[in-house]
Structure formats: structure tokens, C-alpha cells
């Protein structure tokens, strides 16, 4: 007898990893959903004994999905599997009724421990009849999106712990840009606001690039108030705050990327590109660095404030074949 399982994640790679990680003894009959609304439709039309749920998704995220499951009285044990590993995120999903939380990338030991708790021994099939699973077809972009998702989750967690806040974690953008397109993307991010910008170079095993951290003036003011910066030392404290935010985000993102690619990255000291200046001034400071680049881009928002922090990782074009090779194992069946 099969064991019906729903896996909800917008990432094709994450859905495949989750499906491949389930033990054969479970004899899982797997259904996939690509976001919360899709999952709710599946739950309305089918009965599942277990659900695995991502948090950061389009249409309806994992938090909203858990809220709807509770409102609708749907009886299904939910295990959250996410790159958003902030303590407050875990507290929130458990309060919404999740039975367990597993961080990405999926760890089979952690998964098996959860299954041992949630799957009743009597309901475990004694005779295993393999269930055919149509696994997602992966593209290069799927790989980079999920790798970026895990890495920005590490960065959000570090920021949340440092400032004792909850950071809203949106979906990352992954693009290959010509330099003119990169400049257009930067202008869209700034939305004509004055900004403060910090740049940090990074490299590891031939993979190199620059990270750019942008804070709008309104964000800097809110961040200073959040940190209770004394008025008589605002200028010095603001600069230190910018450098702290840059080091936290860039360092933790690179650690997350390094774990997944088995590369030890080194980062240079943060360099101030300017405070309270136009985005065009920031662009002029970066002109000449790239002809073509792959970028990971995400905008972090801090709960209860208007703080928005834009983080861009720009990889030099020559690094891409090396990074592709390091991440090629994710394309393979396992």
C-alpha cells in the first residue's frame, strides 16, 4: 500500500531533492505543488498523510499556506523544509501548526528522524511496491535559483540574529546581464532614492566577483533608530552600521554558497562607495568592473519597519564555467 505525500516547493531542484531523499520503505506516492495556492487545491481534492512545505514561494508563501490549512481545518501533518532558518521563522511556523522544521539543503538523517516521529509504525508498508514518480526536469537556472535561495537564507538568518529582528525573505532573482542591463537593474532597485552603497570583492578557486549592498536613506535612518544610535555620534555610527550589515550579509551568503559548491570563499574588506548619493554615482563606481555578469539579487525587508536592503552578487563571466562544474552534482540523479 502506498503512502500519499504532497511536496510543495517552487524550486524544481528542491522538489527533486525532497522526492529522492524519501526512503524507499515509505513507498511514497508523491504529488508535487509549485506554490501555496497549488498545494491548497491539491489538498482540497486529495487526501495526504504527509506534506512537505517550503516557505519562500510565489503566489502564496509557506506562512500563508499554513494559515489557510488551519482556517480550513485540513488534517495533514506539515513538515516545513526551508532555507529561511531564522529563529523567528521557525517559531512562527510551529505556532501555525507545523509538526517539524528541516533546513535546506535536505539532510537525510534529519529527514529520517522526522519521519520516525510522524509516521506511525503500523502505517509503514511491509511490502514495498515501488511507485513511479515523474521527477521535475532541471534546467541550469533551477540549480542557481535554489542555490541562491539557500544562501540568502543564511544571510537573512545572520542579519536576524545580529539585530534581533524578523527578516522577510523574498525569492531571489538570478540573471545573466550585459553591463548596460546591470545598470538598468540597479536603477530599478533604487527607485530614484538616495542610497548608501558598500562593495566587497570575493574569490575562491578561480570563482570571483563583487558583492554590492545598497541601503536607501530612509532605510539607514530606520536602521539607526532600531539600533538606538546616539545622536552625537550618528555619522560614525552610520558608517560602522553600513560596514556591519555588509560584512554580515556578504560573509554569510558566501558561507552558504561555499557549503553547496565545496568552495572556500575569501572576501575583501568592505569599501564605501558613497553615502546619501544617487544610484548613478554608485553605477559610476562600478563601471569597468564587468562586461557581462551573472547576478544573484535579493531585497531584504525587516518586519515592522520600512527598512529595505538590496544585496547583489555579481560573478565575472570567466567564473561561470567553474561554478557550473562545482554545482554539476545537483543535476545528477541520487
Amino acid at each position: 500500500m502506498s503512502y500519499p505525500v504532497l511536496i510543495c516547493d517552487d524550486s524544481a531542484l528542491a522538489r527533486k531533492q525532497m522526492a529522492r531523499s524519501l526512503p524507499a520503505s515509505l513507498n511514497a506516492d508523491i504529488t508535487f505543488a509549485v506554490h501555496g495556492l497549488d498545494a491548497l487545491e491539491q489538498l482540497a481534492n486529495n487526501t495526504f498523510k504527509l506534506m512537505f512545505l517550503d516557505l519562500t514561494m510565489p503566489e502564496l508563501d509557506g506562512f500563508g499556506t499554513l494559515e489557510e490549512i488551519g482556517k480550513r481545518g485540513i488534517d495533514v501533518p506539515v513538515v516545513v523544509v526551508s532555507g529561511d532558518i531564522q529563529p523567528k521563522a521557525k517559531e512562527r511556523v510551529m505556532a501555525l501548526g507545523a509538526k517539524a522544521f528541516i533546513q535546506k539543503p535536505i539532510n537525510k538523517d534529519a529527514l529520517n528522524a522526522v519521519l520516525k516521529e510522524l509516521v506511525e509504525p503500523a502505517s509503514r508498508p511491509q511490502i514495498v511496491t515501488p511507485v513511479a514518480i515523474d521527477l521535475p526536469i532541471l534546467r541550469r537556472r533551477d540549480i542557481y535559483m535554489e542555490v541562491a535561495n539557500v544562501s540568502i537564507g543564511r544571510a537573512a538568518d545572520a542579519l536576524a540574529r545580529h539585530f534581533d529582528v524578523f527578516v522577510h525573505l523574498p525569492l531571489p532573482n538570478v540573471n545573466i546581464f550585459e553591463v548596460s542591463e546591470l545598470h538598468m537593474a540597479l536603477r530599478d532597485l533604487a527607485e530614484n532614492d538616495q542610497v548608501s552603497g558598500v562593495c566587497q570583492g570575493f574569490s575562491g578557486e578561480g570563482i570571483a566577483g563583487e558583492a554590492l549592498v545598497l541601503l536607501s536613506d530612509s532605510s539607514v535612518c530606520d536602521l539607526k533608530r532600531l539600533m538606538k544610535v546616539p545622536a552625537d555620534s550618528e555619522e560614525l555610527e552610520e558608517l560602522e552600521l553600513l560596514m556591519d550589515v555588509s560584512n554580515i550579509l556578504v560573509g554569510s551568503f558566501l558561507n552558504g554558497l561555499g557549503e553547496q559548491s565545496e568552495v572556500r570563499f575569501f572576501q575583501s574588506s568592505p569599501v564605501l562607495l558613497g553615502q546619501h548619493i544617487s544610484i548613478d554615482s554608485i553605477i559610476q563606481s562600478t563601471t569597468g568592473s564587468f562586461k557581462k555578469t551573472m547576478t544573484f539579487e535579493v531585497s531584504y525587508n525587516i518586519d515592522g519597519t520600512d527598512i529595505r536592503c538590496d544585496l547583489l552578487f555579481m560573478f565575472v563571466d570567466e567564473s561561470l564555467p567553474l561554478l557550473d562544474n562545482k554545482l554539476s552534482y545537483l543535476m545528477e540523479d541520487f
Side-chain angles (χ1 to χ4, degrees), residues 42 54 75 81 105 121 125 153 176 184 190 212 226 261 266 276 295 304 313-314:
Q42 294 287 353
D54 184 30
D75 184 20
V81 184
I176 294 181
M184 288 174 60
L212 185 62
L226 180 68
S261 60
F266 298 90
H276 318 301
T295 66
F313 277 81
M314 302 169 286

Side-chain angles (χ1 to χ4, degrees), residues 3-6 43 48-53 66 69 74-80 97-100 114 117-119:
Y3 195 84
V5 173
L6 178 62
L43 289 165
F48 297 96
K49 292 186 177 180
L50 190 61
M51 177 180 179
F52 294 97
L53 177 66
L66 279 168
I69 287 172
I74 299 171
D75 184 20
V76 60
V78 179
V79 177
V80 170
K99 299 298 183 183
V114 167
E117 291 291 325
L118 294 182
V119 179

Side-chain angles (χ1 to χ4, degrees), residues 204-243:
E205 297 187 31
I207 301 167
E210 292 182 1
L212 185 62
V213 178
L214 297 176
L215 276 169
S216 67
D217 279 5
S218 58
S219 293
V220 172
C221 292
D222 279 358
L223 198 54
K224 286 191 294 184
R225 283 195 291 269
L226 180 68
M227 298 306 298
K228 300 177 181 177
V229 174
D232 59 355
S233 62
E234 279 199 358
E235 187 173 344
L236 177 62
E237 291 284 350
E238 181 181 311
L239 182 57
E240 290 178 352
L241 197 58
L242 286 170
M243 297 303 182

Side-chain angles (χ1 to χ4, degrees), residues 232-305:
D232 59 355
S233 62
E234 279 199 358
E235 187 173 344
L236 177 62
E237 291 284 350
E238 181 181 311
L239 182 57
E240 290 178 352
L241 197 58
L242 286 170
M243 297 303 182
D244 277 351
V245 169
S246 181
N247 272 323
I248 290 165
L249 290 176
V250 175
S252 49
F253 182 100
L254 289 174
N255 285 338
L257 179 61
E259 287 175 14
Q260 297 174 88
S261 60
E262 296 186 347
V263 173
R264 184 180 180 188
F265 285 101
F266 298 90
Q267 65 197 84
S268 63
S269 298
V271 176
L272 181 67
L273 297 178
Q275 292 176 260
H276 318 301
I277 59 176
S278 69
I279 191 61
D280 284 325
S281 298
I282 296 288
I283 289 171
Q284 288 174 8
S285 300
T286 60
T287 297
S289 301
F290 301 95
K291 293 181 180 178
K292 188 176 182 181
T293 177
M294 181 180 72
T295 66
F296 293 164
E297 178 256 312
V298 65
S299 297
Y300 294 104
N301 295 279
I302 293 180
D303 197 37
T305 75

